[in-house]
Every structure is written in C-alpha cells, then in structure tokens.
Amino acid sequence: MESCAMDYLDFDIDIERSGTAYRATFNSPAGQVTQDFVVPFTEQDLEIALLRFGRPQRGTRRIENPETEYARSFGSRLFAAVFDGEARACLRSSIDEAQRQNAGLRVRLRLTGTPELTDLPGEFMYNPALNRFLALSSQTPLVRYLEMPERVRPLSISPPLRILAVISSPRGYPPLNVEDEWQKLSTALADLQTRGLVQLERLKAPTLSALQHQLRRGRYHILHFVGHGSFDEQQQ
C-alpha cells in the first residue's frame, strides 16, 4: 500500500503580553479571533508538571496510568484557558474545514513576543471534546513556529541521502529491542540503499562523545534517533 503525505491548513496562535495576562490572536481557516487569557498554573505547578512529564516510566508500560491521567488533567486546564468561547468554536470550525478539504490542521504556536512562555508545555493541550491530545494526532499536529528573517530555501541534495542512526537503551529505563529497531529501519530503506539513493549508518556506541567524533568524520543529512535519553549530572 502506498502512503501519501497529508496536506495541512495552518491555525496560528500568536501570543503577546496584555497587562498582567496574555492576548492570543487566532488566525485560522475559519477566520480571526482575539481573546485574553491567564496561564492557569503557578510556577510551582509548572515545576511539578515538568518533573512528572520527564520522569522515566519503569516496569510494564500501560496506556492508562497515573502519569497519563495527570497529563490529561494538566492539558485540559491549559486547553480550557487558551481555547475559551469563540476561540474554541474557531478551532472546531477550522478542523471541520480541514476535513472538508481532506487535510489536517497544523496548530502553530508563535511565542516570539513572550519568551517567558517557552517552558510552558503547550504540547500537552488536551481537547476533551475530541478526547485526545492535539499534538498526538496527525490531524492536529502542534508545532512551535519560529519567526525567520528570510524565506527558508529548500535543501538541495545530491544522492545518496546520508542517514546516521543512533539507537539508545540506557540502564534504568524500560528496555528496547535495539536490534529489532535497527532491522526494521534497515529493511524499510533496503530498496533505496540498493538503488544508491540512501546511505544508512549506525553509530556503534550511542554516547555524546561517539556522536561528536562521528560527525567530525563525515557529513549527514538526517540524524535518526530511537530510544531513551539520560542526563549525566557529572558531565552536565
């Protein structure tokens, strides 16, 4: 079965300061809406949330667990604050319009004027009406949009496309079948490699020093990472 790339309509959320609160301007396929909102979390709430979201899940993975329920609750509060009243109706109409055009709706967060919101985990926004996190659906991907001083030009590449795969399964985290992951990747790209269109390499030791050494030896177009990461307190 052949797959095709999905087209997307853009739903922009431009956030700026408005006194002690924030003002969000929504530019969407359904029109423009502007409304003020207040971040529904204290600094302590955000610190706790970031710690819980970053906590490694040990043992058997389950779809429903306390961390998932916490993320859903946190995301629902954030969604309710940002998408209130007309903004929520605008989102619903925009999703309907995207579906009518057989496309997805790309939600783009613009935080250029509010850098203090960079650490606010907007990717956890949860829409109770759709029963899903926006960012976890291909129908409503959520991205942080960076303002660029000039148009980004398409990258022109002469084959082969060089891919460096880093597959990591550190101690203390749920184990990964790294060899199976590597085999799947190799199999998926086998035909392109045979035709000389893709060159796939695997980093032997998934460490920062090994990665830096490999990148000094050659140039790559894609870094493909599979696995978990861990933070080294001594190395920082």
Side-chain angles (χ1 to χ4, degrees):
M1 179 182 296
E2 294 185 358
S3 60
C4 58
M6 178 178 290
D7 292 326
Y8 287 95
L9 306 183
D10 289 327
F11 187 103
D12 289 344
I13 307 176
D14 195 341
I15 301 178
E16 59 184 11
R17 292 288 306 184
S18 178
T20 58
Y22 294 94
R23 175 161 297 164
T25 299
F26 303 85
N27 290 290
S28 77
Q32 184 182 88
V33 173
T34 299
Q35 71 174 34
D36 292 349
F37 73 95
V38 176
V39 176
F41 308 107
T42 64
E43 289 187 9
Q44 184 177 12
D45 290 335
L46 291 177
E47 289 179 3
I48 294 174
L50 293 175
L51 286 173
R52 294 191 66 168
F53 294 153
R55 180 186 304 169
Q57 300 296 308
R58 304 182 187 282
T60 303
R61 295 183 179 182
R62 295 175 296 166
I63 296 177
E64 294 297 332
N65 56 54
E67 302 306 323
T68 300
E69 182 56 38
Y70 178 82
R72 186 181 292 115
S73 174
F74 180 96
S76 295
R77 291 176 61 190
L78 183 56
F79 179 86
V82 177
F83 288 98
D84 187 26
E86 291 185 15
R88 187 172 304 190
C90 184
L91 176 64
R92 179 67 264 177
S93 297
S94 296
I95 292 176
D96 291 342
E97 176 61 21
Q99 291 177 342
R100 187 186 70 80
Q101 298 187 32
N102 196 28
L105 187 71
R106 179 170 45 224
V107 181
R108 304 196 300 184
L109 284 177
R110 295 171 176 262
L111 305 176
T112 304
T114 51
E116 69 274 16
L117 294 183
T118 301
D119 290 335
L120 184 66
E123 290 75 10
F124 282 86
M125 280 197 286
Y126 180 82
N127 187 344
L130 298 179
N131 191 30
R132 70 179 185 224
F133 295 94
L134 293 181
L136 291 186
S137 171
S138 61
Q139 298 294 324
T140 55
L142 189 150
V143 299
R144 294 176 182 242
Y145 185 83
L146 299 177
E147 301 289 348
M148 303 296 290
E150 59 185 22
R151 181 175 177 272
V152 178
R153 297 179 180 178
L155 180 62
S156 179
I157 298 175
S158 297
L161 182 73
R162 300 194 64 197
I163 303 174
L164 178 62
V166 180
I167 304 179
S168 172
S169 185
R171 292 186 299 272
Y173 288 76
L176 295 174
N177 188 339
V178 293
E179 296 309 321
D180 185 54
E181 295 285 352
W182 171 248
Q183 185 59 48
K184 289 179 180 178
L185 184 60
S186 300
T187 300
L189 297 174
D191 179 60
L192 294 175
Q193 292 188 80
T194 300
R195 293 159 56 191
L197 299 177
V198 168
Q199 182 177 330
L200 176 65
E201 296 180 46
R202 176 179 175 179
L203 188 67
K204 294 182 179 180
T207 64
L208 178 58
S209 59
L211 175 60
Q212 292 172 330
H213 178 70
Q214 188 70 20
L215 293 179
R216 284 194 295 267
R217 293 179 53 197
R219 300 186 63 182
Y220 298 89
H221 303 109
I222 296 175
L223 176 67
H224 184 85
F225 178 80
V226 177
H228 305 293
S230 61
F231 183 74
D232 189 321
E233 292 286 353
Q234 294 182 340
Q235 298 287 339
Q236 289 294 300

